[in-house]
Amino acid sequence: MEVWSIVVAAGSGRRFGGPKQLVELAGRRVVDRSVDAMARVSAGVVLVGAADQLADLTTSGADRIVAGGATRSASVRAGLDVLPESATHVLVHDAARPLVPEAVCDRVVAALVDGADGVVPVVPVTDSLRSVDGVPVDRARLLAVQTPQGFRLDALRAGHAGDADATDDATLVSGLGGDVRHVDGDPVNLKITGPDDVRIAEVLLDD
Ligand code: CTP
Ligand code: MG
């Protein structure tokens, strides 16, 4: 078993208002924190960046850097294309989740060791929920999905074979009947989405 990571950082940060992966959190860039977190739990890291930011990413510590695509799924596929032959499993992580605790990664890898085709870290939804037309939604039926998601490499490659598009890779693998398991995520593993998330992340880093 050889576990590699793909860190996807090729988004445009529309909701943030710019390239959030290059923003500094307590003196260190979001993307560098994410690459470092994945390097600690894998044999190597492929970083997928926007074509015009590749020069900014050379100091990230990633083993391989490649240009992404127009959608997150296309960026994951760009990463899959440059994994070494020796890789058997892959962790796909959003660069926008720089605070991922090592324990979350460890739980994902442990489920892969145990034979899962795919592994998704999840957290309970804490807010009360309503649909857009005002119907209450039972939050006990819902889970919020985080990254890194872990995969047997051939299962993820099969999921991506049809140039499919999905905001999360596990959907592609379970769609093919793969054994996709849940493990506990962590509320600390927030995704930097809007500018307020930088302030929240800095508070968490200060703890
Ligand atoms: N991502 C990517 N390639 C894309 C789109 C997204 O590599 N074409 C990456 C982002 O860089 C991010 C992760 O996927 O690390 C999760 O995406 P999201 O949080 O939606 O980031 P953005 O797409 O950049 O933000 P927005 O949707 O607000 O534009
Ligand atoms: Mg996006």
Side-chain angles (χ1 to χ4, degrees), residues 55-97:
D56 294 314
L57 299 178
T58 52
T59 55
S60 65
D63 298 281
R64 299 180 181 195
I65 301 176
V66 66
T71 63
R72 185 183 182 282
S73 292
S75 293
V76 171
R77 282 191 285 277
L80 285 172
D81 285 346
V82 300
L83 284 175
E85 287 282 324
S86 54
T88 60
H89 293 75
V90 64
L91 307 176
V92 181
H93 187 56
D94 291 334
R97 294 187 187 270

Side-chain angles (χ1 to χ4, degrees), residues 11-15 20 72 167 191:
S12 57
R14 190 182 43 79
R15 288 168 289 180
K20 58 191 182 182
R72 185 183 182 282
T167 52
K191 182 159 73 76

